Amino acid sequence: MEIKKKKETAEGGKMEKIISLCKRRGFIYPGSEIYGGLSGAWDYGSFGLSLKNNIKNSWWKKFVEERDDMYGIDAAILMNAKVWEASGHIAGFSDPLVECSKCHSQYRADQIGFPPDHFQNMKKGMPSISYVFVPPKCEKCGSAENWFSPIMFNMMFKTNVGPVEDKGSVSYLRPETAQGMFVNFKNVMDSFHPRLPFGMAQIGKAFRNEISPRDFLFRAREFEQMEIEYFTRESEWEKYFESFRTEILDWLADIGLDKDSIHELEVSAEDRAHYSKRTIDFEFDYPFGRKELLGLAYRTDFDLSAHIGKSGADLSYYDEETKDRFVPHCIEPSFGLDRMILAILCEVYTEDEMGGEKRIFLKFKPTVAPVKVAVFPLLKNKPELVKKAQIIFSELKKEIRPIVFDDNGNIGKRYRRQDEIGTPFCVTIDFDTLENDTVTVRDRDTGKQERVKTGELSSFIKNSLK
Ligand code: GAP
């Protein structure tokens, strides 16, 4: 029932409304906009960046700082091309590309209705089977009969390191942060001597030359990942896979995603990445359908073994107690940060009526809200109110951040502006403040106002923000 309701909202153009609000209110802008944009690239404005940082910090706190078995890392984006040979990305990190022979528009074939089995065979290097199927229509020219045969297109962005553009200088922008952790496994072992199980965690940019970037932040060409490579004995992988599964769900609830909007999909063997023996996709009900939010994979010892084979480095683990040497196995929770932001925006975007007027507000959990409090003098042209408001703003800012000061336009407009960026509380300084040192605190969701003594304001808000 819930899903149906969301689909109806989608028909009302929910995505377009969210994209428009993001631009209008300084969350997210189209990349390189004044030059007509660049498909699949998005720029974060002040509030978008604050939201992003809040999500990153919450993730880092839960999965790294609050644990004793995690080692953070920030590896370089450019890596030796041999990394991608060993990891299998040069050979196999491809999507099926089809081109309309009439208008030359290009598409990811599986996204527009070509049968998936066709490409699975291509990925495995087998000849494709002939299918009898109704060919999809070209989204641009409408032709259904004119398709060139699909080819497999490698999604890594190629570049050259140094001034000479030859085979030896080829490098790639990383398509996943994961490999930066596998290649540093030995460094972390040598520096910290961790005991199994332990993990490495990284937040950083990843790049994929997606054939058809679409759905706002959902499929971008430049995006951020928050990934963990958790190393364990082979015999224990299931135990840690299960514990991450629970922790992922807990964290998604922590940042305000409704558990009814999250669905686990056991990925079939044919659809799993080449390195995975088990994958669960955590999907979210976006306005454009139920799609992947993040993945949890059992990568076995595939990556460490592949790097041992290619580099000759010793990436094994020696167990002092059992006197046993072996290559650890790996569990990988992989979160797309931009997809997380998109899911949160979709979850919190709300329309209602207040005081007889339609309003839009973002029902962020206070912990992720980009601005926690806004402070207003009731009237801009009353210096005594403005002065008092500035004092209260400065005092509050010592305790709670980020907060904003706004004296622009009538009070109703200022409330609407804060509602649209999801500020949980607005504090108004009025003539009563000058008399009895109390202010009104307005709650974003209900619009209810409460009078609070200025001396108790910061603790009142701090308690309400929890
Ligand atoms: N290291 C494993 C890995 O990269 P993946 O399923 O290809 O696995 C992990 O990607 C996550 O990265 C996805 O679940 C998604 O959240 C995010 N992601 C992948 N491609 C993306 C894209 N083009 N745009 C935005 N996010 C993307």
Side-chain angles (χ1 to χ4, degrees):
M1 287 307 279
E2 179 60 15
I3 293 162
K4 189 155 175 275
K5 220 166 90 198
K6 291 202 173 179
K7 285 213 174 113
E8 279 159 16
T9 331
E11 279 149 29
K14 185 171 174 184
M15 265 326 288
E16 287 68 30
K17 289 179 187 171
I18 291 173
I19 295 169
S20 152
L21 182 145
C22 281
K23 182 161 154 41
R24 186 170 73 246
R25 291 290 177 218
F27 281 85
I28 297 150
Y29 309 114
S32 318
E33 195 183 9
I34 60 167
Y35 289 102
L38 179 69
S39 180
W42 298 94
D43 296 340
Y44 283 80
S46 178
F47 295 138
L49 184 58
S50 177
L51 173 62
K52 194 187 221 189
N53 286 337
N54 293 340
I55 295 168
K56 278 189 199 179
N57 292 340
S58 160
W59 186 88
W60 195 261
K61 185 165 168 272
K62 172 157 180 79
F63 290 105
V64 182
E65 286 175 358
E66 287 179 358
R67 304 177 56 128
D68 302 323
D69 56 353
M70 285 289 179
Y71 296 85
I73 190 145
D74 185 15
I77 288 173
L78 289 174
M79 302 177 82
N80 191 311
K82 287 180 186 158
V83 170
W84 307 110
E85 283 172 28
S87 68
H89 283 79
I90 291 182
F93 193 59
S94 308
D95 272 342
L97 169 74
V98 278
E99 185 173 319
C100 169
S101 60
K102 199 167 166 204
C103 73
H104 298 286
S105 297
Q106 295 182 324
Y107 302 95
R108 215 178 101 175
D110 54 330
Q111 280 178 351
I112 60 164
F114 279 83
D117 296 3
H118 192 73
F119 313 110
Q120 263 136 24
N121 287 329
M122 288 177 75
K123 275 187 191 170
K124 287 176 194 148
M126 288 156 59
S128 59
I129 309 160
S130 293
Y131 279 90
V132 181
F133 69 96
V134 183
K137 281 190 179 164
C138 171
E139 286 176 9
K140 194 161 173 212
C141 73
S143 158
E145 306 301 328
N146 302 284
W147 294 106
F148 287 125
S149 283
I151 55 160
M152 293 310 285
F153 171 77
N154 192 298
M155 289 195 291
M156 282 199 293
F157 279 100
K158 213 181 220 177
T159 187
N160 291 87
V161 175
V164 183
E165 287 193 21
D166 63 9
K167 222 175 142 202
S169 68
V170 168
S171 184
Y172 301 89
L173 300 186
R174 67 182 179 203
E176 60 169 7
T177 68
Q179 296 304 324
M181 293 183 264
F182 294 122
V183 300
N184 277 291
F185 177 82
K186 185 168 172 4
N187 285 332
V188 169
M189 288 290 296
D190 292 348
S191 305
F192 304 104
H193 309 288
R195 290 279 188 85
L196 283 184
F198 73 91
M200 293 169 71
Q202 170 160 237
I203 300 179
K205 290 264 183 177
F207 302 83
R208 296 184 187 179
N209 199 0
E210 295 283 356
I211 295 167
S212 330
R214 53 177 67 194
D215 296 322
F216 194 29
L217 305 175
F218 180 80
R219 195 173 299 288
R221 288 187 168 131
E222 176 177 338
F223 54 95
E224 256 177 284
Q225 291 184 317
M226 307 186 289
E227 295 199 298
I228 293 168
E229 307 305 327
Y230 196 76
F231 300 102
T232 168
R233 288 171 180 78
E234 183 179 4
S235 58
E236 292 190 312
W237 78 265
E238 276 157 314
K239 179 168 131 194
Y240 295 109
F241 192 93
E242 279 311 312
S243 71
F244 274 114
R245 190 178 180 173
T246 314
E247 284 183 49
I248 287 169
L249 291 172
D250 289 349
W251 183 72
L252 294 177
D254 278 357
I255 57 167
L257 293 180
D258 185 344
K259 67 175 177 10
D260 293 338
S261 314
I262 308 289
H263 310 273
E264 291 181 39
L265 174 80
E266 187 73 47
V267 181
S268 66
E270 307 82 69
D271 288 340
R272 284 199 296 264
H274 59 282
Y275 49 72
S276 172
K277 257 201 180 160
R278 185 178 179 197
T279 299
I280 292 178
D281 279 351
F282 291 77
E283 298 189 316
F284 178 78
D285 292 320
Y286 299 96
F288 45 85
R290 184 174 293 178
K291 299 211 165 158
E292 181 184 337
L293 175 61
L294 69 112
L296 173 64
Y298 168 41
R299 286 182 85 129
T300 68
D301 59 350
F302 176 88
D303 299 272
L304 289 183
S305 295
H307 289 304
I308 292 170
K310 186 89 188 161
S311 68
D314 178 7
L315 307 181
S316 64
Y317 176 86
Y318 182 68
D319 190 323
E320 302 280 354
E321 278 160 32
T322 61
K323 311 286 178 217
D324 201 11
R325 184 172 284 286
F326 57 93
V327 179
H329 279 230
C330 181
I331 310 292
E332 180 195 63
S334 174
F335 299 69
L337 176 56
D338 309 77
R339 276 194 199 172
M340 210 59 71
I341 290 166
L342 177 58
I344 291 177
L345 287 168
C346 295
E347 182 85 48
V348 301
Y349 180 91
T350 316
E351 291 178 4
D352 70 355
E353 236 182 68
M354 191 171 273
E357 272 181 44
K358 283 208 158 120
R359 74 157 179 161
I360 295 170
F361 71 111
L362 300 185
K363 214 173 178 172
F364 286 125
K365 267 195 126 174
T367 44
V368 299
V371 174
K372 311 297 181 202
V373 186
V375 178
F376 311 149
L378 180 65
L379 298 168
K380 190 181 181 175
N381 58 3
K382 296 284 172 204
E384 64 277 32
L385 288 185
V386 176
K387 198 172 162 212
K388 182 76 179 165
Q390 279 166 344
I391 294 168
I392 290 174
F393 172 75
S394 308
E395 284 304 307
L396 211 51
K397 197 174 171 159
K398 288 180 193 157
E399 307 266 340
I400 301 165
R401 287 181 296 275
I403 71 171
V404 295
F405 185 88
D406 189 0
D407 60 5
N408 200 0
N410 72 46
I411 197 85
K413 278 201 180 132
R414 284 183 256 167
Y415 283 147
R416 294 292 171 273
R417 263 203 299 275
Q418 295 305 321
D419 287 345
E420 282 203 359
I421 63 164
T423 306
F425 298 104
C426 293
V427 172
T428 303
I429 285 76
D430 55 18
F431 292 104
D432 286 349
T433 315
L434 304 177
E435 299 288 316
N436 60 15
D437 242 354
T438 63
V439 293
T440 65
V441 179
R442 172 190 177 266
D443 179 279
R444 174 196 65 200
D445 301 346
T446 60
K448 280 199 183 126
Q449 299 188 23
E450 207 172 321
R451 285 211 85 86
V452 177
K453 286 189 182 151
T454 53
E456 291 164 12
L457 185 59
S458 93
S459 56
F460 175 87
I461 292 178
K462 274 191 202 158
N463 285 336
S464 315
L465 283 173
K466 274 181 193 157

